[in-house]
Amino acid sequence: MTVSKRRGEHTVLFETPPRVLSTASIVGDMEGAGPLGHAFDMVLTDDTWGESSWEKAECKMFEQVVRLALTKVNWDTKMLHCLLGGDLLNQIITANYAARQLGVPFLGLYGACSTMAESLLLGSMLVDGGFAHNVACVASSHFSTAERQYRYPLEMGTTSPPTAQRTVTGSGAVLLSAEPAPAQQQGPAVFRNIHIESGTIGKVVDMGISDASNMGAAMAPAACDTIVTHLSDTGRAPSYYDAIITGDLGSFGSEMLQELCMDEGVDIKGRHLDCGNLIFDSSQNVNCGGSGCGCSAVVLSAHLLQLLEKDAWKRILFMATGALMSPSATQQGETIPGIAHAVVLERDA
Amino acid sequence: MTVSKRRGEHTVLFETPPRVLSTASIVGDMEGAGPLGHAFDMVLTDDTWGESSWEKAECKMFEQVVRLALTKVNWDTKMLHCLLGGDLLNQIITANYAARQLGVPFLGLYGACSTMAESLLLGSMLVDGGFAHNVACVASSHFSTAERQYRYPLEMGTTSPPTAQRTVTGSGAVLLSAEPAPAQQQGPAVFRNIHIESGTIGKVVDMGISDASNMGAAMAPAACDTIVTHLSDTGRAPSYYDAIITGDLGSFGSEMLQELCMDEGVDIKGRHLDCGNLIFDSSQNVNCGGSGCGCSAVVLSAHLLQLLEKDAWKRILFMATGALMSPSATQQGETIPGIAHAVVLERDA
């Protein structure tokens, strides 16, 4: 057997490209007050969403964002052959408990903030490989659950250093299918023009950053590695894409990525965007921008895919970036490795 | 596009079945003293393996077990197109840091103790789908790292109730490839006769167990659900398999599974085995048996696949079972859901 779908070292090409059918996004109030506030399907005014804990609220967001994406194409959960996703909490409880409520076949992933790209990459392989007809790819994070798990209890009122980023409260879902949406599925919420063309699996890269408040710097080397590998595997130049979009490097990490790429002879400056920079406004007092795997999930679902669908762009390289940090590893003197997975989202010719 | 590889609701059939090339296992001293002690590639006499923490030792086990599986077919890491795996620690640090050392494309998974089956299922899809030629599927756990994360610090000397199980200290790896091992790869360590025929993706099932010392009971309903679904999807009877093998239900959970299956009209009693029952001896004072995602990983690698290779069996249903428990969810009053993924391992006709 020849592996016809492989290109170069890390990149796979989809022969029957999975199609984007619908997306959904649910965010917190601060995300709703940001520049993309109008684009999200639902903005919560209370970040517990009526639940007794932030963790339970995040779980509800994960479950409801999948139901919302299904509703847009008039489907129920029975139409889903697989749910792929994860979150930042220990033992991915958000995804696990949401999957219990949804009752569909479930593959739990952990890629830190790279989870949205990891789920799209694996979901696309399931669809293109013929193993599933319809899949939901999901990622979620929540400011209040992440702070107390990774940093300090919110009640302490700790101030954050200038390189810190704010974990996005948000769940984003993308429905993929082997076939286009049936004609009877009406309405502006149904996507008709986008497929996933290829993807690049990242490897773990560690440049020795050990500061949990400087994740952009921890992730930038992995993002650079994946971009350079992707372009080398495909023989493409950065100009092949209308935009090269990272997940949550924030302002400092984005600068670092552009410089690291330049060192490798790859100039992405004119076309690089970062979801962590897009979601908040500098007036919102978020230091270096947004982070968390919900950040790239909701910006992709509510904003980037809309621009592609409406023909503002022809194709983008979407790359979610993960800082593989863990309080126990950090306490044992370990540095923070990063990983970045990428998918190419393209308008039909 | 028709989804020709799907059978029924949750089961996928591999058209070009991925082949098992080699396996490797590294375990702790207690596992080495058990009934399968002779079968493991390496038995540690010191569960820190010369490292400064148990977590670092587990990471070394994960890395070295992959290198060992590669060595058996005279390969280095460059031959690997993807590493898929996970462990039980927060933010899967074992797998993440091992992947950093190995430097290969990496997809991090979290399925609690179901991880070995999840990685084999996804690894098989990558190979059969043409996205990777060679993949390594890995899972790992460690008694000392798991106890202090999930239960109590070992220094407290807490006693465990009769339904408790002992987390296995062990890392197991299985190398899958699209093609059989080349003829020049000699030696008894190279597998020549086994392929993965199909697999069933599990869903999250919760019957309301909330006792973190009774995981067998939390996982048995999910195992029953996956067995019944698999048999229904494929139209097979339990007698189609020489053995139906669960991951780590232990003695109490195994009894419960057999009864739950009987309630569904499926009699697995004569052919059900559990890795948690196989790995320890009743004289080893382990209550209900072994657990942890390393349990099924090392028993599969060192024992089950050897029996298949040597023609003691023709085909088995291997199903790793995960208790999706998390201290933070339990503290918030949540019950413990379970999940079970399955793959069919078969001798060539």
Side-chain angles (χ1 to χ4, degrees), chain B residues 11 28-29 50 68 93 132 145 178 214 223 226-227 234 236 256 289 313 339:
Chain B
T11 302
D29 58 344
L68 196 50
I93 45 172
T145 64
N214 193 358
T226 300
I227 290 175
T234 56
R236 295 171 184 169
M256 197 167 151
W313 287 334
I339 194 164

Side-chain angles (χ1 to χ4, degrees), chain A residues 65-103:
Chain A
V65 84
V66 175
R67 294 196 190 277
L68 195 51
L70 287 168
T71 303
K72 291 185 182 181
V73 288
N74 293 317
W75 280 354
D76 66 14
T77 52
K78 287 199 177 57
M79 293 297 290
L80 269 190
H81 298 138
C82 191
L83 170 70
L84 300 104
D87 57 276
L88 299 180
L89 297 188
N90 290 340
Q91 290 81 47
I92 59 165
I93 45 173
T94 305
N96 284 334
Y97 284 101
R100 176 184 70 180
Q101 300 309 108
L102 292 163

Side-chain angles (χ1 to χ4, degrees), chain A residues 272-286:
Chain A
H272 173 240
L273 295 170
D274 182 73
C275 300
N277 294 332
L278 294 170
I279 196 165
F280 293 124
D281 197 278
S282 58
S283 70
Q284 289 183 288
N285 191 22
V286 291

Side-chain angles (χ1 to χ4, degrees), chain B:
Chain B
M1 175 187 173
T2 59
V3 188
S4 55
K5 291 169 188 171
R6 286 181 51 78
R7 289 288 177 279
E9 282 302 296
H10 298 192
T11 302
V12 295
L13 199 70
F14 302 115
E15 280 176 358
T16 313
R19 306 196 56 79
V20 174
L21 282 201
S22 73
T23 69
S25 55
I26 301 176
V27 299
D29 58 344
M30 190 140 161
E31 291 72 18
L36 303 179
H38 61 283
F40 302 118
D41 290 307
M42 194 182 290
V43 177
L44 305 177
T45 50
D46 159 18
D47 78 345
T48 67
W49 204 354
E51 297 290 314
S52 58
S53 74
W54 293 314
E55 287 75 12
K56 289 184 182 180
E58 189 182 344
C59 181
K60 186 172 173 182
M61 289 168 64
F62 192 115
E63 179 193 345
Q64 293 304 326
V65 85
V66 175
R67 295 196 188 276
L68 196 50
L70 287 167
T71 302
K72 291 185 183 182
V73 288
N74 293 317
W75 281 354
D76 66 13
T77 51
K78 287 199 176 57
M79 293 297 290
L80 269 190
H81 298 138
C82 191
L83 170 70
L84 300 103
D87 56 277
L88 297 179
L89 297 187
N90 290 340
Q91 291 82 49
I92 59 166
I93 45 172
T94 305
N96 284 334
Y97 284 101
R100 177 184 69 179
Q101 300 310 108
L102 292 163
V104 295
F106 171 63
L107 294 166
L109 310 179
Y110 185 80
C113 304
S114 74
T115 301
M116 193 64 204
E118 184 179 358
S119 70
L120 287 168
L121 195 48
L122 278 169
S124 296
M125 292 186 200
L126 262 66
V127 172
D128 181 40
F131 305 109
H133 201 280
N134 310 317
V135 300
C137 304
V138 195
S140 174
S141 57
H142 190 298
F143 172 72
S144 304
T145 64
E147 279 303 300
R148 68 172 167 188
Q149 179 180 288
Y150 285 99
R151 296 180 190 87
Y152 300 99
L154 285 176
E155 292 80 356
M156 281 176 70
T158 314
T159 55
S160 48
T163 52
Q165 294 171 241
R166 183 182 166 98
T167 303
V168 163
T169 298
S171 296
V174 175
L175 277 195
L176 299 180
S177 177
E179 284 177 287
Q184 70 269 28
Q185 286 170 340
Q186 299 291 334
V190 180
F191 285 75
R192 303 201 169 275
N193 302 309
I194 308 175
H195 61 267
I196 302 192
E197 186 250 3
S198 61
T200 298
I201 310 175
K203 56 182 203 276
V204 178
V205 175
D206 191 334
M207 299 285 275
I209 302 289
S210 58
D211 178 0
S213 294
N214 193 358
M215 293 191 306
M219 294 186 284
C224 174
D225 186 83
T226 300
I227 290 175
V228 170
T229 302
H230 175 83
L231 296 176
S232 153
D233 282 355
T234 56
R236 295 171 184 169
S239 58
Y240 185 80
Y241 297 104
D242 295 304
I244 294 175
I245 302 153
T246 47
D248 56 347
L249 296 178
S251 52
F252 180 72
S254 292
E255 249 184 78
M256 197 167 151
L257 169 66
Q258 293 173 13
E259 285 180 25
L260 287 169
C261 284
M262 200 58 106
D263 290 348
E264 300 286 331
V266 174
D267 183 359
I268 61 165
K269 270 182 192 156
R271 54 198 73 242
H272 174 238
L273 295 170
D274 182 73
C275 300
N277 294 333
L278 294 170
I279 195 164
F280 293 123
D281 196 279
S282 59
S283 71
Q284 290 184 290
N285 190 23
V286 292
N287 299 309
C288 272
S291 68
C293 55
C295 177
S296 58
V298 299
V299 173
L300 177 72
S301 301
H303 179 60
L304 306 175
L305 287 174
Q306 302 291 345
L307 288 174
L308 260 185
E309 177 75 12
K310 289 171 185 152
D311 210 12
W313 287 334
K314 289 288 182 201
R315 59 177 75 86
I316 60 173
L317 182 66
F318 171 77
M319 186 169 48
T321 40
L324 303 171
M325 60 187 266
S326 156
S328 38
T330 308
Q331 284 158 13
Q332 293 183 15
E334 266 292 2
T335 51
I336 303 173
I339 194 164
H341 301 294
V343 289
V344 175
L345 292 146
E346 199 173 51
R347 267 185 72 87
D348 303 338

Side-chain angles (χ1 to χ4, degrees), chain A residues 199-315:
Chain A
T200 299
I201 310 176
K203 57 181 203 281
V204 178
V205 175
D206 191 334
M207 300 285 275
I209 301 289
S210 59
D211 178 0
S213 294
N214 193 359
M215 294 191 306
M219 294 187 284
C224 173
D225 186 83
T226 300
I227 290 175
V228 170
T229 302
H230 175 83
L231 296 176
S232 153
D233 283 354
T234 55
R236 295 172 184 167
S239 58
Y240 184 80
Y241 297 104
D242 294 305
I244 294 174
I245 302 154
T246 48
D248 57 346
L249 296 179
S251 51
F252 180 71
S254 292
E255 248 183 80
M256 198 168 149
L257 170 66
Q258 293 173 12
E259 284 180 25
L260 286 169
C261 284
M262 200 56 106
D263 289 347
E264 300 286 329
V266 174
D267 183 359
I268 61 165
K269 270 182 192 159
R271 55 198 72 240
H272 173 240
L273 295 170
D274 182 73
C275 300
N277 294 332
L278 294 170
I279 196 165
F280 293 124
D281 197 278
S282 58
S283 70
Q284 289 183 288
N285 191 22
V286 291
N287 299 309
C288 271
S291 68
C293 56
C295 176
S296 58
V298 299
V299 173
L300 176 72
S301 301
H303 179 59
L304 306 175
L305 286 174
Q306 301 292 344
L307 287 174
L308 261 184
E309 178 74 12
K310 288 173 187 152
D311 210 13
W313 287 334
K314 289 289 182 201
R315 60 178 75 86

